[in-house]
Amino acid sequence: MSALSPEDEASLQSMVRQLFQSVKERLANAPSAECAEEIMLHLEETDEHFHNYELVKYLRHYIKSSLGSVIEEETEKCTFAQSQGEGLGYDTLVQRVTKRTRESKEYTEMMHSLKNSMMAVVETLLNKFEEDQAKNREMQKKNVHDQHSGRFTDNCSDSDSSFNQSYTFMNQEQLQQIAEQLDPGQPEEVRKEAMQTLCSAPPSDVLNCECWNILHKNLTHSLADPDSAFTEKILRFYAKTFSSSPLSMAREVYTSLAKHLELSFLSRESQKLLSAGIDITNPDTIRMLKKIRLLNDYQKEAPSFWIRHPEKYMEEIVDSTLSLLSVTQESSLPTSQMLQSPVIFLAMIDTKAVWFKKWMHAHYSRTVVLRLLKKDYTSLISAAIDQCFFYFESSQSAADEQVKSTPRQHCGTKQKTFYTRRELHYLYFVHSVSLLGRLLIYKHGRELFPIKVKTRKEKVSLSDLVVLFTHIMLYCANGPKGVGEYTGSYSPAGLAMEVLRMLCDRKECASACLYTGAVLDALLSPIRKLLDGKKVHKNCDETTLIYIADILARIASIEGGLSLLLYGRKLDSSSESIIGAHTIAKFTKKLLHEDIHALSESDMLPALKGSFIFVCRQMYHTCEGLQVLLRYQLHECIAEAWRKTIVVSERTPTPVAGGASLASGCQEAQGAMIWEETLLDNLLNFAATPKGLLLLQQTGAINECVTYMFSRFTKKLQVSRCEKFGYGVMVTQVAATAPGALALQRSGFIQALLTDLWAVLECGRDDVRVIHPKPTPVDPIDRSCQKPFLSLVNVLSSYPAVCELLGGQDLPSKDEYSLREVPTSFADIFDRLVIINSVAKINSLFNYEQSHIFGLRLLSVLCCNLDTLLLLESQYNICEVLLNSQKENVLEPSTDLENVIIDSLSVERNHVLVRINVIGGPRERILPPRSLIQSNDPYPWPMCSSYPVPKCYVPEIPANDSLTQDNEFFKFLSSKNADAKNGWLEKCRKLFCKTLKTKPESLSGAVCGELLDRYVLLLSEVPSNRVFICSEFKDEDVQNETLPAVQHLGVKMVIRYGKHLNLLSNSTEQDLIELLKKCEKFLRQQRALPNTTLRYLKGSYSGHDWFASSVFLIMSGDSEKALAFLLKFFSLLPSAYLWLPRLHISRHLPAEIAESGIHPIYFCTAHYIEMLMKIEVPLVFSAFRMSGFTPSQICQHWLSQCFWNYLDWPDICHYIAVCILLGTDYQVYMCIAIFKHLQQEILQHTQTQDLQVYLKEESIQGFHVADYLEYMETLEQKHRPMVLQEMKNFTLKVK
C-alpha cells in the first residue's frame, strides 16, 4: 500500500469522500473543530451504517490481509499454552493476543504504510477542493458579467464529479431557429453549429418545445449523414436524453432511432449479401454499431423503470424493436446466404440476448412482448429456429473441417477487427439459442408453437425444438479440443446444455418441454449405442456424457420426469414405450465394472461413473424407483467399487517430501478420497426407503455410510443439489432398525445429539459469554429444546432401536454428579432427566423443573410403544419411581397420599402414570390433561399415587356377546355346508365384507373368534395356501420354559386389558403364560443361529407377542383354542406380517435378511405404504418429508403392537380379520386409509412441528375399519398385482 497506483488512489479518494458526505450534516452542526473530531472518533458508536461504508470495509480487509497470519499464530501459541495448564479465560486470551499483535513488526509496518497512503489521499483531496473553489469563484464572476445576454449557464460542479456538465437554457424562438437550421437543406456548417448548440440544452426542454416534431424529423434525417462527427453529436444527444429523461419523452427518441435503423436496412445499399464478413474498422460499420449499441443499452435499462409508466409507452418501444429486428427475416434467400440485418449487428453487441432476458423477466413487459410476437412478428422466432437448424446441420456436414474461428476469443492482446461469415453465423446462432431458451420458459411463449419455418416442410413443434437443442448438446463441440474451436461459455454444446438445464429447473416448463418420448430417446441414444458396442459421434465424448447425466438427473428429481424414466412413454402409436431407467441402470452397471471398451481408458471415468450413479440415485432413493431398479443390484455394484477403492487407497504409498512424485501422489490420493466419498454418498441414499435400508445393510457398509452422513449432517449440508431438505428423514429411516441405530451410535451422531441437547437444556456452550441471559421458558418444552426433543423421538421411535441402545444398560445412579458432567448415552439421559430418585440428581441440574419435565415428556412419547414401555419398566421400574415421586410431593403436615401438591411435575407424572397403566383405544381409556384450568379447582382430575389408577380414567365397557341366533354370520358358521373348501372360503369373504359394511358390531367378540378359527382351518388345508413348511408341534410340558421379564409384564397388561373389556371370565395370567411358552418353543424350532452382534437378535424375540395375546383375547381366553389357531395360522402368508415373532431370525428368510434384524413388516409392508402414499395421499406424504419423520416409523409402531392403544378392540379384531380373510396386502391399505382419515390433523401438526409426537401419543380418533372398507377395496383393485406379489415373493423362501 506504500506505493499506490493511480487507480487505487482514486478509489480511496472516493471512499473518503463517501464517508464525509454521509456525516456532512453532523459535522456542519458541530460548534467547534474539537467537537467535529469527537464526532468522527465515536462514529462507530453513533452511526448504525458505520460498517457499511466502503472505507471501513477497505480498512477491515487491509488489516486482515496484513495481520491475519500474525493473529492466527499468536492465538495458536496462547491456546497451546492453555492446554499445557495455563488457565486463560476468554477475556485474558483476547487481551494477550491483541497486545502481542500490536507489538509485532508487521503491525508497525502496516501502520506506517497506512498513514503515508492516507496522508497522500487527503492532501490530494484538499488540493482538488481548493481548485474547485477557485473555479467556482471565477464562474460566478462570469455569470454576473453575462446576465444581459439572456442565456443562463448552470455550472454543475462539485468535488464528487470527475467532469463538469453545462446546460444552456433556451427559449422557444431559439429552439425554433435550431430546428430550422438542422434541416437537411441547410449548409453543413450551419447544421453543425446548430447541433453543437442543441447538445448544450437540457433534453427535457428540447423534448417539450413546440417545434419538437420538426426537430425530431430533422434529427432522424440527419442520422443518415455521411459525416461521422455530425452523427456522433446526434447520438450523444440521444444518449443524454435516454439517461436524463422519463420514458414518456425518451420513447420518442428511441422509436425514431429504431425507425431510422429499420429504413437504413431496408434501403438498397444495405440489401447486400455478407459474402466475406464484417470489418468493424469500416466507418459505415462503426456508425452502425454505435447506433445499435446505443439502442441496446437502452433496451437493457428500460425494464427497470417502464412499469411506472403507461403500457402504451412500453408497447411502442417493444413494437419498434421487434419491427427493426424482423427486417430481412422474411427474405426468400437460403439461410446460408446472410444479408446485412439488424439482428446480426445486435448479436455482435449483445451475443446472449441479455436485452430479451430482461424484457421477459417481468409479467408486465412479457405479456406485451409475447402478444406482439404472436400477432405480427413470428418471423423473428422462425428465423431464430431456422438459424439453429442451419448451424446444427452445417456443423454436422462439415464435421471433418478442422479450421474454425472462435467468436470473441482473442489471442494475446490483439483486438479482433474482422468477423468472417462463419463467425457471424455463429454469433447469430448464440443469440438465437439464448432468445429461444428464454422464450420456452414461459407458458405463453410455448403457445407460439408449432411454428412454420421456411426451411422445414412441416411446422416445428415444441418437442422438435427441444430435440434440436439436445442434438446440439450431443453432437456439437463442447470444449477445447483444438485450435479455433468454440470454447468456454460460447461452446454450442454448453449453450444448449444451459438451455436444457434452465428448462429442467422449472417444473411446469420441464413437464411441457422435456417429459416426452422424443426428448428421452435423443438423450439416451448415445448410451444405447455404447451399450451395443457401436461407435458414437466424435463430439459425443466423456464431457457430453456427463452433460447427459446432468440433464437426466434433473429430470429424475421431479415427479413427472421420474415417472417418465421409470415407466416410459411412447414416441407414437406404432412404437414401443421407452423406459429410460433400464438403459441408465445397465449403462451405470457397465461403467462400474469398466465394461465399456470406448471409455475404459478415459481419465474422466470416475467423474462419468459418479454422474450416472447420481442419475440412478435420483430414482432408487424413491420407493417406486427402487422397485424398478431392484433387478440390477446397484447397491452391490457400488459397494464393490467402494471396497476396491479402499483396497487401492491402502496400497498407495505415502508420498515422500522432496520426492519427484509428491505432487502427483497427493493429487491421486485426493482423487481417490473424493471417489470414495462419492460412492459412500450414493450408497447412503439407499437408506431413503425401508427396502433400500435393508439393501444398504446387506452391503456391509452401513457403518461407514452413517459416519459419512454424520460428517455432512454436522456441517448442515443438503443431501444433494436436487434435494430441498437435509438428512433429517434419512436419520429417522436409519434409526428405525437395530443395525441402523447401532451405526448411528458408532458414528458419534447420538453423542453429538445428546451434547447439543444438554447445551440448550442445561448449561449452554462454554465458549459463549452470557451478555444477555436467556429468558425463563414458559412452555414445558420451549423452542430452543424442540428440535433436540424431536430428534430424540425420531431416533428412539422404534423398539429395535431402543432395544439396541438401551437394552441391558444399567443407570449410573451416582452419589454425586459434577455440574460439568455431560450425558453421552441414552442411559445417562434417563438417569439424569427421567429417573430422578435422589437429591444428588436434583442438585446436579441447573433447571431441575424444566429438565425433568423434558425427561417426562420424552418418557411419555417412548412409552406409547408398548414394547419400549415393557423394556423400560423391566429395567428401571419407572412406575415405582414415578409413584414414589408423587408420594413425596405432598403437603408435609398431611398423611393423605391423595393430597398431592399440584405443580407442573406432578401433573406431568400423573399423565404418564395413567398412560402407561391403562390400555385402550380412543373410547376405552381417558387420559388426564397436562394443563390447568381457570377455576377454583384448577386440576379436578384425581392424582394417581398408587395402584390401581382412579376409576375415572377407566370407562365402563358394556359386555357385547354377538354370538346369538339372530346373527347372520353365526348362522353361516353353524350351518353344515357341503360346498368345496374354496367355494366356502369365497362365500365367507363376501358375507364378511357385506356384514362389516352393514353391521360391523356383529363381527366382534366370539363371532370373530369362530370366524377366524374356521376360516384359517379350511385355508390351511389347501396346499397352495401353505407358504411355509413347518414341523409338527409336540404338545409337551413347558413348565421348564421361562419367559423374559418383558413377556411377564406384557401378560399382566394383556390380562388387565381383557378384564377391562369383559372378554375374560375364568382365564388367568397362567393361561396366557402357558400359551406364550408353547408358542416360543414352537417358534424356536424354526429359528436359525444368527452370526451377529446385535443385541436385538440375541435369544428369543425381545418384545412381547402382541398378536398371540390378541388371539388369546379373541378366543375369550381359551389358550387351547388360541394355540390350535396359531399352529394352523403358522403356515399361511399373513402370519409373516401379522405375527412378528413368527419370522424373528427365521429359517424361512434368506440368511442375510434374517441376520439383519430388519423385519418384513418394515422393509416390505412399510415400503409399499410409502410408495402408495405418494400416489393416494400425496399431501400427507409431503408433510412427513417436511417434518423429518417417516411413515414407515409410525406404521411399524402401529403394526408391531396390532394397533393396541390406537384403535378400540372391535376395530383391532376387524383389522386382523380383514388381513386374514381378504389378503395380507390389506395391511398396507389399512395404513393408507388411516393416513387419509388423519390428513387434516397431520397437515396441522406438521405446521406446529410436532407431527411425530401427535401420531405416537394420540389414538386414532373416529377411524373405523368398516367405514373405510370400500376405500381399501379400491386400493386392492389398483395395487394388489404388485403389492401382494411382492409380499409373497420378495423376501420369503416360497415352497
Side-chain angles (χ1 to χ4, degrees):
M1 188 172 172
S2 57
L4 281 176
S5 65
E7 293 81 8
D8 291 340
E9 185 172 357
S11 177
L12 264 177
Q13 290 177 18
S14 175
M15 295 177 191
V16 174
R17 190 181 294 118
Q18 181 213 22
L19 178 65
F20 280 100
Q21 283 289 337
S22 302
V23 296
K24 181 178 178 180
E25 294 183 3
R26 298 170 66 181
L27 294 178
N29 295 330
S32 63
E34 291 78 13
C35 292
E37 185 177 352
E38 283 296 312
I39 290 174
M40 296 302 295
L41 288 175
H42 297 279
L43 196 60
E44 184 177 8
E45 303 169 11
T46 58
D47 191 345
E48 61 180 358
H49 303 293
F50 177 80
H51 291 281
N52 293 330
Y53 294 134
E54 293 300 323
L55 180 62
V56 176
K57 293 180 181 178
Y58 174 84
L59 292 175
R60 188 188 299 118
H61 176 73
Y62 181 70
I63 293 171
K64 183 177 180 180
S65 61
S66 301
L67 301 179
S69 59
V70 178
I71 294 173
E72 290 177 2
E73 183 179 351
E74 293 298 334
T75 303
E76 289 179 1
K77 289 180 180 178
C78 292
T79 305
F80 178 78
Q82 183 177 1
S83 66
Q84 297 298 315
E86 298 180 21
L88 296 177
Y90 180 84
D91 292 339
T92 307
L93 178 64
V94 172
Q95 291 170 4
R96 182 171 296 186
V97 172
T98 304
K99 179 182 177 183
R100 292 185 179 179
T101 303
R102 295 189 65 177
E103 292 173 353
S104 65
K105 182 179 71 173
E106 289 84 355
Y107 178 83
T108 305
E109 292 175 355
M110 181 200 73
M111 292 301 296
H112 179 73
S113 175
L114 187 62
K115 183 177 180 181
N116 291 340
S117 300
M118 295 307 298
M119 286 177 65
V121 169
V122 171
E123 185 176 354
T124 303
L125 288 175
L126 288 173
N127 293 337
K128 183 174 176 59
F129 175 77
E130 291 173 0
E131 291 174 6
D132 289 341
Q133 289 292 94
K135 289 181 180 179
N136 286 339
R137 286 193 294 269
E138 291 178 7
M139 194 63 67
Q140 288 174 0
K141 292 178 182 179
K142 184 178 179 180
N143 287 342
V144 173
H145 182 266
D146 292 336
Q147 280 182 356
H148 67 278
S149 67
R151 297 173 66 179
F152 300 90
T153 302
D154 180 19
N155 294 294
C156 302
S157 175
D158 57 35
S159 58
D160 286 339
S161 303
S162 59
F163 61 91
N164 294 329
Q165 188 176 15
S166 299
Y167 285 140
T168 302
F169 297 97
M170 303 179 185
N171 54 35
Q172 294 294 327
E173 291 78 8
Q174 291 169 321
L175 290 171
Q176 178 69 36
Q177 182 181 0
I178 291 174
E180 295 170 356
Q181 290 173 345
L182 285 174
D183 188 272
Q186 293 289 340
E188 182 179 350
E189 293 299 325
V190 174
R191 292 167 61 226
K192 285 184 178 180
E193 184 178 353
M195 194 65 229
Q196 180 69 35
T197 306
L198 185 65
C199 286
S200 64
S204 57
D205 288 358
V206 178
L207 294 172
N208 287 318
C209 71
E210 298 174 356
C211 58
W212 166 244
N213 291 332
I214 301 173
L215 190 60
H216 180 209
K217 179 181 177 181
N218 291 337
L219 285 173
T220 305
H221 286 144
S222 299
L223 282 170
D225 196 284
D227 187 349
S228 60
F230 183 63
T231 56
E232 181 81 17
K233 289 181 180 179
I234 299 176
L235 293 179
R236 286 183 179 276
F237 174 75
Y238 278 14
K240 188 186 296 184
T241 303
F242 288 153
S243 64
S244 60
S245 302
L247 183 68
S248 57
M249 299 178 180
R251 66 183 169 86
E252 297 186 31
V253 177
Y254 180 91
T255 53
S256 66
L257 178 58
K259 190 64 177 176
H260 158 74
L261 289 170
E262 184 176 347
L263 294 173
S264 298
F265 283 102
L266 287 172
S267 65
R268 290 187 177 180
E269 288 104 16
S270 295
Q271 290 287 338
K272 58 184 180 182
L273 294 174
L274 292 172
S275 56
I278 293 180
D279 182 4
I280 63 173
T281 61
N282 182 286
D284 292 337
T285 304
I286 292 174
R287 282 200 299 273
M288 184 60 69
L289 286 173
K290 286 184 176 180
K291 294 172 185 177
I292 298 287
R293 175 65 179 270
L294 179 60
L295 207 69
N296 182 247
D297 286 344
Y298 191 69
Q299 288 170 353
K300 291 186 284 189
E301 289 297 325
S304 61
F305 50 77
W306 62 18
I307 195 172
R308 299 194 294 268
H309 300 273
E311 185 178 313
K312 65 177 182 178
Y313 294 164
M314 176 191 63
E315 188 167 345
E316 288 181 26
I317 293 174
V318 173
D319 186 69
S320 62
T321 304
L322 298 181
S323 178
L324 169 64
L325 297 180
S326 298
V327 171
T328 74
Q329 299 293 5
E330 297 184 1
S331 171
S332 59
L333 291 172
T335 309
S336 58
Q337 301 284 333
M338 179 176 284
L339 289 172
Q340 279 193 3
S341 63
V343 73
I344 298 297
F345 284 91
L346 183 60
M348 293 173 66
I349 293 170
D350 187 3
T351 309
K352 291 195 174 181
V354 175
W355 68 275
F356 191 73
K357 177 182 178 181
K358 292 191 174 185
W359 283 21
M360 295 290 284
H361 179 68
H363 181 270
Y364 179 71
S365 57
R366 181 169 66 248
T367 305
V368 174
V369 173
L370 293 174
R371 174 164 51 82
L372 291 175
L373 281 174
K374 184 176 183 179
K375 181 181 178 184
D376 300 318
Y377 303 109
T378 53
S379 61
L380 181 62
I381 306 302
S382 300
I385 297 173
D386 198 33
Q387 180 63 24
C388 293
F389 274 109
F390 168 74
Y391 173 77
F392 174 68
E393 291 166 358
S394 62
S395 67
Q396 297 309 298
S397 62
D400 296 331
E401 186 177 339
Q402 297 296 323
V403 181
K404 294 182 181 178
S405 299
T406 305
R408 305 167 70 90
Q409 302 276 330
H410 311 309
C411 298
T413 58
K414 185 176 179 181
Q415 187 173 0
K416 190 172 183 65
T417 59
F418 188 82
Y419 287 87
T420 65
R421 185 161 62 93
R422 183 185 298 277
E423 290 174 339
L424 293 174
H425 267 296
Y426 190 73
L427 286 172
Y428 185 21
F429 162 73
V430 175
H431 190 273
S432 300
V433 169
S434 302
L435 185 145
L436 292 171
R438 186 59 52 176
L439 190 70
L440 294 183
I441 293 176
Y442 305 104
K443 178 181 178 182
H444 294 292
R446 297 191 293 272
E447 289 176 353
L448 296 174
F449 294 86
I451 191 169
K452 181 63 180 173
V453 177
K454 63 182 180 181
T455 59
R456 305 282 129 183
K457 293 182 179 180
E458 298 180 354
K459 288 185 176 182
V460 176
S461 67
L462 193 62
S463 178
D464 294 335
L465 183 58
V466 179
V467 169
L468 173 61
F469 288 149
T470 305
H471 285 158
I472 292 172
M473 181 186 76
L474 297 180
Y475 306 121
C476 293
N478 55 34
K481 298 193 187 75
V483 179
E485 288 199 346
Y486 303 113
T487 60
S489 62
Y490 287 89
S491 69
L495 289 167
M497 169 68 166
E498 287 303 317
V499 171
L500 293 176
R501 276 180 175 172
M502 192 165 56
L503 299 179
C504 286
D505 293 341
R506 291 161 174 82
K507 186 175 181 180
E508 182 181 353
C509 178
S511 179
C513 297
L514 294 170
Y515 302 162
T516 64
V519 174
L520 184 60
D521 182 59
L523 284 169
L524 296 178
S525 177
I527 299 176
R528 283 199 291 266
K529 287 183 178 180
L530 288 169
L531 284 173
D532 296 338
K534 299 178 181 178
K535 188 176 180 180
V536 295
H537 193 279
K538 70 171 188 176
N539 284 329
C540 193
D541 58 2
E542 295 89 337
T543 302
T544 302
L545 291 173
I546 291 175
Y547 284 174
I548 294 173
D550 184 76
I551 297 300
L552 289 173
R554 292 170 189 268
I555 290 175
S557 66
I558 305 298
E559 190 61 35
L562 179 63
S563 176
L564 172 69
L565 289 175
L566 295 179
Y567 309 118
R569 191 170 298 173
K570 291 186 177 181
L571 287 170
D572 52 62
S573 58
S574 61
S575 63
E576 293 184 359
S577 179
I578 300 171
I579 300 181
H582 297 304
T583 303
I584 296 167
K586 291 175 185 175
F587 185 69
T588 305
K589 194 169 182 178
K590 283 206 167 193
L591 277 178
L592 286 169
H593 291 155
E594 299 184 6
D595 197 18
I596 298 178
H597 179 71
L599 302 171
S600 58
E601 302 298 327
S602 173
D603 294 335
M604 298 179 65
L605 190 57
L608 189 58
K609 291 178 183 178
S611 299
F612 275 92
I613 293 173
F614 186 77
V615 181
C616 293
R617 160 177 159 180
Q618 293 304 113
M619 294 184 279
Y620 67 63
H621 90 300
T622 65
C623 293
E624 61 273 27
L626 184 63
Q627 185 73 20
V628 173
L629 298 183
L630 195 59
R631 70 179 75 172
Y632 299 103
Q633 298 292 297
L634 287 175
H635 63 291
E636 288 293 346
C637 298
I638 299 173
E640 182 182 353
W642 170 70
R643 284 189 284 267
K644 288 181 180 178
T645 306
I646 295 294
V647 172
V648 171
S649 300
E650 292 174 350
R651 291 178 180 176
T652 303
T654 304
V656 181
S661 62
L662 176 60
S664 61
C666 291
Q667 189 173 3
E668 289 178 7
Q670 185 177 7
M673 182 180 68
I674 293 173
W675 177 231
E676 180 185 344
E677 289 185 350
T678 300
L679 293 171
L680 281 176
D681 194 20
N682 289 296
L683 267 179
L684 172 64
N685 275 264
F686 278 98
T689 63
K691 190 180 292 184
L693 181 58
L694 172 68
L695 300 179
L696 173 60
Q697 199 276 338
Q698 290 176 352
T699 64
I702 188 170
N703 291 323
E704 291 80 2
C705 288
V706 172
T707 301
Y708 171 77
M709 177 180 67
F710 173 56
S711 68
R712 291 181 60 84
F713 184 83
T714 54
K715 299 173 185 175
K716 293 180 171 54
L717 298 176
Q718 286 185 310
V719 177
S720 73
R721 66 174 184 266
C722 297
E723 286 286 328
K724 297 180 181 179
F725 304 104
Y727 284 94
V729 171
M730 203 171 293
V731 169
T732 308
Q733 202 75 271
V734 169
T737 64
L742 189 60
L744 286 173
Q745 186 177 49
R746 289 171 176 171
S747 70
F749 175 86
I750 289 176
Q751 183 174 351
L753 173 63
L754 299 180
T755 302
D756 291 342
L757 164 65
W758 202 256
V760 297
L761 192 63
E762 273 294 306
C763 56
R765 294 173 60 93
D766 290 338
D767 57 343
V768 177
R769 289 186 298 169
V770 180
I771 299 175
H772 300 290
K774 292 193 301 182
T776 302
V778 177
D779 298 325
I781 298 180
D782 63 347
R783 298 297 299 175
S784 64
C785 300
Q786 179 79 359
K787 189 174 181 179
F789 178 77
L790 295 179
S791 298
L792 281 178
V793 171
N794 290 345
V795 172
L796 296 175
S797 179
S798 71
Y799 175 69
V802 174
C803 180
E804 201 63 37
L805 299 174
L806 269 172
Q809 300 290 318
D810 295 329
L811 299 181
S813 297
K814 300 180 182 178
D815 295 331
E816 185 178 356
Y817 294 85
S818 169
L819 294 176
R820 292 188 174 274
E821 188 175 342
V822 178
T824 58
S825 67
F826 285 120
D828 292 343
I829 284 291
F830 267 78
D831 184 50
R832 301 290 296 278
L833 300 182
V834 181
I835 314 296
I836 303 182
N837 52 3
S838 68
V839 177
K841 294 181 181 180
I842 296 175
N843 293 338
S844 70
L845 299 174
F846 286 107
N847 306 305
Y848 162 65
E849 187 168 330
Q850 183 195 5
S851 297
H852 192 24
I853 288 180
F854 182 97
L856 292 174
R857 285 288 173 95
L858 177 63
L859 176 65
S860 175
V861 176
L862 297 186
C863 288
C864 294
N865 188 310
L866 295 181
D867 283 326
T868 300
L869 167 61
L870 297 177
L871 177 69
L872 296 178
E873 176 63 21
S874 64
Q875 289 188 175
Y876 306 133
N877 295 321
I878 54 175
C879 288
E880 183 181 348
V881 172
L882 295 178
L883 287 173
N884 289 335
S885 298
Q886 289 291 75
K887 293 174 183 178
E888 294 171 359
N889 195 33
V890 296
L891 296 174
E892 289 188 7
S894 174
T895 58
D896 187 0
L897 292 179
E898 295 182 358
N899 195 10
V900 178
I901 298 174
I902 298 175
D903 57 13
S904 57
L905 287 176
S906 62
V907 169
E908 189 67 35
R909 280 193 293 263
N910 188 55
H911 180 91
V912 175
L913 282 167
V914 175
R915 177 180 290 278
I916 64 182
N917 280 283
V918 181
I919 303 298
R923 294 182 298 181
E924 295 169 348
R925 68 172 179 175
I926 299 173
L927 296 177
R930 288 181 163 121
S931 58
L932 306 181
I933 59 175
Q934 292 183 353
S935 69
N936 294 331
D937 187 2
Y939 195 77
W941 300 87
M943 286 289 182
C944 179
S945 55
S946 61
Y947 291 138
V949 299
K951 293 183 178 180
C952 63
Y953 300 126
V954 188
E956 291 290 335
I957 305 295
N960 181 22
D961 187 5
S962 56
L963 190 60
T964 63
Q965 299 293 332
D966 297 332
N967 190 310
E968 185 178 2
F969 228 101
F970 174 75
K971 295 177 181 178
F972 174 76
L973 295 174
S974 302
S975 63
K976 295 182 180 179
N977 201 318
D979 293 344
K981 294 174 183 176
N982 288 332
W984 187 91
L985 293 172
E986 182 61 29
K987 286 183 180 180
C988 184
R989 280 192 289 268
K990 290 181 179 180
L991 183 58
F992 171 76
C993 292
K994 176 185 174 182
T995 308
L996 189 58
K997 293 175 184 177
T998 56
K999 296 181 179 180
E1001 67 280 356
S1002 64
L1003 286 176
S1004 59
V1007 171
C1008 186
E1010 290 296 324
L1011 166 65
L1012 293 179
D1013 187 43
R1014 185 161 182 189
Y1015 187 88
V1016 168
L1017 173 63
L1018 293 179
L1019 194 66
S1020 62
E1021 290 178 355
V1022 179
S1024 61
N1025 293 328
R1026 292 198 293 267
V1027 175
F1028 303 108
I1029 301 174
C1030 53
S1031 57
E1032 184 178 353
F1033 175 68
K1034 297 179 180 179
D1035 192 1
E1036 300 174 350
D1037 185 20
V1038 291
Q1039 295 299 323
N1040 296 327
E1041 297 287 333
T1042 58
L1043 289 179
V1046 168
Q1047 290 276 34
H1048 278 287
L1049 290 172
V1051 167
K1052 296 179 181 294
M1053 187 179 290
V1054 172
I1055 297 300
R1056 192 164 62 244
Y1057 183 44
K1059 291 182 177 179
H1060 171 52
L1061 296 174
N1062 299 311
L1063 297 175
L1064 304 178
S1065 54
N1066 300 322
S1067 301
T1068 63
E1069 292 182 7
Q1070 192 58 39
D1071 295 329
L1072 180 54
I1073 290 174
E1074 186 174 350
L1075 172 65
L1076 295 178
K1077 285 182 178 181
K1078 290 180 179 180
C1079 289
E1080 171 58 28
K1081 184 176 181 179
F1082 179 59
L1083 293 175
R1084 193 184 305 142
Q1085 300 172 8
Q1086 315 297 322
R1087 291 188 184 131
L1089 296 176
N1091 182 20
T1092 179
T1093 59
L1094 293 175
R1095 183 190 307 273
Y1096 181 67
L1097 297 182
K1098 295 292 179 64
S1100 60
Y1101 181 68
S1102 60
H1104 183 72
D1105 193 339
W1106 297 105
F1107 180 76
S1109 298
S1110 299
V1111 171
F1112 177 76
L1113 295 184
I1114 290 174
M1115 301 302 176
S1116 302
D1118 188 338
S1119 60
E1120 295 297 329
K1121 191 175 181 179
L1123 179 62
F1125 170 84
L1126 291 172
L1127 293 177
K1128 290 176 290 188
F1129 184 64
F1130 183 88
S1131 62
L1132 305 178
L1133 178 64
S1135 68
Y1137 295 93
L1138 293 176
W1139 192 6
L1140 259 65
R1142 167 71 186 81
L1143 285 183
H1144 180 67
I1145 51 177
S1146 172
R1147 292 176 180 173
H1148 297 288
L1149 288 173
E1152 62 273 13
I1153 295 179
E1155 293 178 359
S1156 70
I1158 305 177
H1159 197 277
I1161 206 173
Y1162 177 75
F1163 68 77
C1164 194
T1165 300
H1167 181 84
Y1168 290 104
I1169 289 171
E1170 290 196 5
M1171 184 187 296
L1172 268 59
M1173 279 181 68
K1174 200 171 182 180
I1175 302 170
E1176 303 295 338
V1177 279
L1179 291 178
V1180 175
F1181 181 82
S1182 299
F1184 272 98
R1185 296 283 296 176
M1186 292 175 64
S1187 69
F1189 197 50
T1190 60
S1192 54
Q1193 278 269 36
I1194 191 63
C1195 290
Q1196 181 181 227
H1197 178 177
W1198 288 339
L1199 298 174
S1200 63
Q1201 62 192 49
C1202 296
F1203 289 100
W1204 282 43
N1205 272 357
Y1206 291 99
L1207 295 178
D1208 291 326
W1209 177 248
D1211 286 299
I1212 294 175
C1213 296
H1214 294 163
Y1215 155 69
I1216 294 174
V1218 162
C1219 292
I1220 294 176
L1221 272 74
L1222 303 184
T1224 314
D1225 52 334
Y1226 269 76
Q1227 189 178 59
V1228 175
Y1229 312 144
M1230 174 87 169
C1231 292
I1232 299 295
I1234 290 174
F1235 286 130
K1236 183 178 178 66
H1237 175 77
L1238 295 176
Q1239 177 166 308
Q1240 291 304 317
E1241 287 77 9
I1242 288 174
L1243 297 179
Q1244 178 184 344
H1245 286 277
T1246 302
Q1247 291 183 337
T1248 55
Q1249 298 181 6
D1250 62 345
L1251 177 61
Q1252 45 270 73
V1253 177
Y1254 164 74
L1255 289 175
K1256 291 180 78 67
E1257 286 197 336
E1258 297 298 324
S1259 57
I1260 305 172
Q1261 298 281 348
F1263 179 84
H1264 300 291
V1265 177
D1267 296 340
Y1268 282 88
L1269 183 59
E1270 288 187 6
Y1271 175 69
M1272 288 188 275
E1273 288 174 340
T1274 62
L1275 294 178
E1276 175 201 342
Q1277 294 172 5
K1278 289 193 289 184
H1279 304 294
R1280 167 162 280 187
M1282 173 189 66
V1283 177
L1284 185 58
Q1285 191 63 35
E1286 289 297 323
M1287 295 180 85
K1288 286 180 180 178
N1289 296 339
F1290 178 67
T1291 60
L1292 307 178
K1293 290 183 176 178
V1294 182
K1295 181 180 65 171

